[in-house]
Amino acid sequence: MGDKADWSDFFLKHLIDVCKGEIEAGNRPQGLWTSTGWKNIVAKFEAKTGDKRTKIQLKNKLDNLKKEYVWFMELKNYATGLGWDAAKGTVDCPQDWWDEHLARCNNREKGLKCNHVRFRKQGPKYLDDLDLIFGKVHVTGATAACPGDISSDESDDCVAEVPKPPPKDDVKLADLKQKGKRKRKSSCTIAESKEEKSPFYRMYKNTCLKIESAADRISSASATSASPTNVVPTIGEAMKMVEECGVEEGTPLMHTATML
């Protein structure tokens, strides 16, 4: 059997169930499948379906499912405030909304059609299960492709959870800024290697620039202040500055700002 395989609902559901079981068993820590996890996925899929498929075949299907999930979640973000069609499992958008959205989303220069249009009549199958498997991909936006880009070949292997930092109210702004620059450098190095077309990436980058600019202004004011004490803002004051930049509570950007 080659690397390509036909996927009916029967095989698809069993693959999803096997992956969910391995996640619950702890075989995908930090968003990365372990060697044991992959070994079990291959073996359990064969045991449940009676069909022996290679790791490459199963991984290719998971990669395609992830792409479709990210595209669908992009559509939901664009259609915020509109209705939901439970029977079709997709957003309920009027014709004029689609006309306007597709005019922006289609890439005529490359001859590519908007990936969102495939969900106009029907959403992805087993969406709740896909939320469990790929939810952090959408939250971080690290592997989200441009709506008109169908060339993304990212793997779920590169998805990692962001650890929550312990609170330290006595951290000075100078240390906060220095650590932030180091972390931004490592994260931006990865992001810049991709096409800078993702709306999530642009929003992340613009917010980082706002935070850095505000930090520079506070640092300058602190350096010229006549008061010898209490010239460096506390963590609470720094986080207030982040909120003033437009970062909302509970969003991935707020987690990033907290890390910085």
Side-chain angles (χ1 to χ4, degrees), residues 28-197:
R28 198 184 68 169
Q30 301 294 318
L32 306 174
W33 292 108
T34 63
S35 57
T36 299
W38 271 120
K39 181 179 179 180
N40 291 343
I41 289 174
V42 173
K44 291 180 179 179
F45 179 84
E46 180 180 358
K48 288 179 176 293
T49 64
D51 191 332
K52 184 174 183 179
R53 300 194 181 181
T54 66
K55 173 185 173 181
I56 293 178
Q57 289 174 309
L58 300 180
K59 182 179 180 298
N60 286 343
K61 184 58 180 177
L62 287 175
D63 287 346
N64 289 332
L65 288 173
K66 186 190 71 173
K67 288 180 185 179
E68 291 187 358
Y69 176 80
V70 171
W71 292 334
F72 183 71
M73 296 308 293
E74 285 179 345
L75 173 60
K76 287 187 67 177
N77 285 343
Y78 278 111
T80 299
L82 297 180
W84 177 261
D85 190 327
K88 297 180 179 179
T90 189
V91 290
D92 186 10
C93 304
Q95 179 64 40
D96 57 348
W97 184 92
W98 274 109
D99 291 342
E100 181 180 349
H101 179 67
L102 294 179
R104 296 193 308 265
C105 184
N106 286 326
N107 191 330
R108 294 184 177 86
E109 294 181 358
K110 293 185 178 181
L112 301 178
K113 292 184 178 180
C114 179
N115 290 308
H116 300 161
V117 74
R118 69 186 64 198
F119 305 115
R120 190 169 186 171
K121 296 182 179 180
Q122 185 68 50
K125 296 180 179 179
Y126 312 115
L127 182 58
D128 291 341
D129 294 329
L130 297 182
D131 280 330
L132 176 63
I133 299 175
F134 304 122
K136 288 184 175 60
V137 178
H138 170 64
V139 169
T140 62
T143 57
C146 181
D149 181 11
I150 60 174
S151 62
S152 175
D153 59 357
E154 295 290 339
S155 165
D156 188 52
D157 294 343
C158 67
V159 179
E161 300 177 8
V162 178
K164 184 178 181 180
K168 293 184 180 180
D169 291 337
D170 59 342
V171 177
K172 294 184 179 180
L173 182 60
D175 295 333
L176 181 68
K177 182 180 176 183
Q178 184 177 4
K179 292 178 181 178
K181 286 185 176 179
R182 289 200 298 267
K183 290 185 179 294
R184 279 195 297 274
K185 182 177 180 181
S186 61
S187 63
C188 290
T189 299
I190 298 174
E192 287 173 359
S193 64
K194 309 171 185 176
E195 294 185 6
E196 297 184 4
K197 296 181 179 180

Side-chain angles (χ1 to χ4, degrees), residues 2-16:
D3 288 341
K4 293 184 177 180
D6 294 330
W7 287 92
S8 65
D9 289 348
F10 172 78
F11 292 115
L12 178 59
K13 188 63 171 69
H14 278 303
L15 174 61
I16 290 175

